[in-house]
Amino acid sequence: MRDLKAELEARKSASLYRSCVTNEQGSGVHTLVDGQLLLNFCSNDYLGLSNHPDLVKALQQGADQYGVGSGAAHLVSGHSRAHQTLEEELAEFTGYPRALLFSTGYMANLGVISALVGAGDLVLEDRLNHASLLDGALISRARLSRYQHNSMADLANQLDKRSANQRLIASDGVFSMDGDLANLPGLVDVATSSESWLMIDDAHGFGVLGEHGQGIRHHFGVSTTELPVYMATLGKAAGVFGAFVAGSDDLIETIIQFARSYIYTTALPPALAEATRASLKIIQSESWRRQQLQQHIQQFRKGVIATGLKLMPSETAIQPIVVGSAEKAVRMSSALRQRGIWVSAIRPPTVPEGTARLRVTLSAEHTEAEVSKLIDAITEVATL
Ligand SMILES: *Cc1c(COP(=O)(O)O)cnc(C)c1O
């Protein structure tokens, strides 16, 4: 039998131990941890919607109308009018014929990939893809091949080398730990010429990219035929919980028939669907949130680069500072905590060995003064 205690101790001494920090005050940028007020610079609430009064009210009214639990899976009796309307609104917003809700993004990726491919098929994934895309390929029993980050040459080469019945290329839209964008036009070219499915996980682009927040497809001006499988989550910029996949009528019907993580699980609480509908309205109408976020991104990059520190080539709200060792990342993260700033250390295996980082994320809810405070604190702790 495994010696769990010894394994846990080894993880601790390698600075790789993970544990939860208990936040007493909700998900906004001002948080309370162990009696200390902290400015949160590591949440994915990019537009500052998770605490918005319209969302809170929609959730409350949704609970009044539908109760709390959905009571069953969608295909049994758990699919409410709230879910149905949200799916229709998501389809319209993203420009696809249909959209389908999942309880989480993790489950959406497992379900979509395993509904589309199986034994004898091939899944090609960017090396830096989110774990849920990798796990989706693993449970599908298709062969999984990972290409060099954003390298269309490596992707094309692997497609040439391996034969398969069906081919699916899957990529993060915005890479979750690096903040850079997938080369979507390049992926479309390769997918089209190789007759492969193309799937983008837009967890960090939905709500943020595109003129009205419609996501990465609009950002690059790619058509729905060129990007047949669009997936995004609702717990990040949308500020709620859950996920969806958008595509053609036939794609969505296929997922409903075959995605086990859709079929065999309880539907989201309908009140959450109501809160998401309220969120969608704000995402569409309040472009100032995206503008504010862009200003913070520019301010942060300019300020940090001026101090001589290196940033990754990211134009998004995800602005990681790679420090190398896990030990140093943890040390810097706690030094920031002492200065009232919360930035979590991201370590292997979430990121490759030797690239532990502080994953700074910015939100429209931050103020210019708060971003300045962050820059000053990072400058101070960088020399520790
Ligand atoms: C967060 C995330 C997911 C998982 O979504 P959840 O709704 O949190 O399960 C999937 N893919 C990417 C790229 C993510 O960042």
Side-chain angles (χ1 to χ4, degrees):
M1 263 166 70
R2 289 167 62 182
D3 184 346
L4 300 182
K5 197 174 274 307
E7 286 177 28
L8 290 169
E9 283 307 323
R11 230 175 141 84
K12 272 185 194 156
S13 49
S15 296
L16 294 176
Y17 202 77
R18 301 172 190 233
S19 53
C20 292
V21 173
T22 306
N23 175 359
E24 311 284 351
Q25 203 168 277
S27 53
V29 300
H30 302 109
T31 58
L32 183 66
V33 174
D34 289 335
Q36 185 193 9
L37 281 169
L38 292 179
L39 260 177
N40 188 345
F41 280 103
C42 53
S43 129
N44 301 311
D45 183 16
Y46 305 124
L47 299 177
L49 294 180
S50 70
N51 284 285
H52 195 287
D54 288 6
L55 274 69
V56 174
K57 205 165 99 211
L59 184 75
Q60 287 166 342
Q61 286 176 350
D64 287 342
Q65 186 176 351
Y66 295 97
V68 178
S70 67
H74 282 278
L75 291 169
V76 181
S77 65
H79 189 71
S80 68
R81 174 54 59 193
H83 296 115
Q84 182 61 34
T85 308
L86 175 59
E87 286 178 346
E88 288 165 12
E89 289 172 355
L90 285 168
E92 192 183 341
F93 181 51
T94 55
Y96 286 88
R98 289 275 297 276
L100 186 74
L101 286 170
F102 276 83
S103 294
T104 70
Y106 195 105
M107 293 164 77
N109 283 340
L110 296 191
V112 172
I113 297 176
S114 56
L116 278 179
V117 293
D121 298 334
L122 176 66
V123 181
L124 296 117
E125 297 205 19
D126 191 289
R127 279 217 163 271
L128 298 188
N129 272 359
H130 191 263
S132 56
L133 283 171
L134 299 171
D135 291 357
L138 293 176
I139 68 157
S140 76
R141 299 179 208 206
R143 174 169 183 175
L144 169 63
S145 214
R146 297 169 75 184
Y147 57 88
Q148 296 300 322
H149 178 49
N150 254 340
S151 167
M152 298 304 107
D154 190 30
L155 169 59
N157 182 29
Q158 297 200 24
L159 275 162
D160 280 347
K161 275 200 309 221
R162 315 207 198 288
S163 64
N165 301 326
Q166 293 283 319
R167 284 173 291 262
L168 169 69
I169 301 169
S171 176
D172 281 21
V174 175
F175 287 89
S176 57
M177 297 300 137
D178 291 55
D180 57 338
L181 300 188
N183 175 0
L184 184 55
L187 288 169
V188 166
D189 283 347
V190 177
T192 310
S193 61
S194 61
E195 295 185 0
S196 308
W197 289 94
L198 178 60
M199 168 178 184
I200 293 288
D201 170 344
D202 205 19
H204 301 274
F206 180 76
V208 179
L209 297 177
E211 196 188 346
H212 298 287
Q214 308 98 314
I216 194 166
R217 187 175 76 74
H218 288 74
H219 176 85
F220 281 109
V222 156
S223 76
T224 54
T225 342
E226 290 171 321
L227 177 55
V229 190
Y230 177 82
M231 172 272 178
T233 67
L234 301 169
K236 289 170 180 157
V240 188
F241 188 76
F244 70 96
V245 55
S248 69
D249 198 38
D250 287 345
L251 176 83
I252 298 302
E253 285 300 320
T254 302
I255 293 170
I256 292 173
Q257 309 308 314
F258 299 111
R260 294 164 65 87
S261 61
Y262 175 79
I263 302 167
Y264 299 108
T265 200
T266 301
L268 276 182
L272 288 178
E274 287 295 308
T276 308
R277 295 183 57 212
S279 172
L280 263 189
K281 288 203 184 89
I282 301 174
I283 289 174
Q284 276 167 277
S285 61
E286 298 192 0
S287 288
W288 65 265
R289 290 177 187 273
R290 281 177 289 279
Q291 285 155 12
Q292 190 128 317
L293 179 60
Q294 273 310 318
Q295 278 168 15
H296 293 338
I297 295 168
Q298 300 317 322
Q299 183 195 351
F300 178 77
R301 289 190 65 84
K302 220 171 133 205
V304 171
I305 290 168
T307 71
L309 279 172
K310 275 220 177 80
L311 286 173
M312 305 197 74
S314 160
E315 299 155 33
T316 68
I318 304 168
Q319 291 291 333
I321 300 174
V322 174
V323 302
S325 75
E327 188 272 326
K328 182 163 185 199
V330 172
R331 191 153 32 91
M332 284 177 68
S333 173
S334 24
L336 286 172
R337 269 276 279 284
Q338 285 162 11
R339 288 160 175 81
I341 285 178
W342 191 1
V343 180
S344 63
I346 306 286
R347 296 157 284 170
T350 306
V351 291
E353 200 64 51
T355 70
R357 63 199 68 183
L358 295 171
R359 179 178 178 271
V360 170
T361 54
L362 300 163
S363 167
E365 204 189 343
H366 291 124
T367 63
E368 192 181 330
E370 287 167 348
V371 176
S372 294
K373 188 174 170 201
L374 168 70
I375 298 168
D376 292 345
I378 285 177
T379 317
E380 275 175 43
V381 306
T383 50
L384 292 181

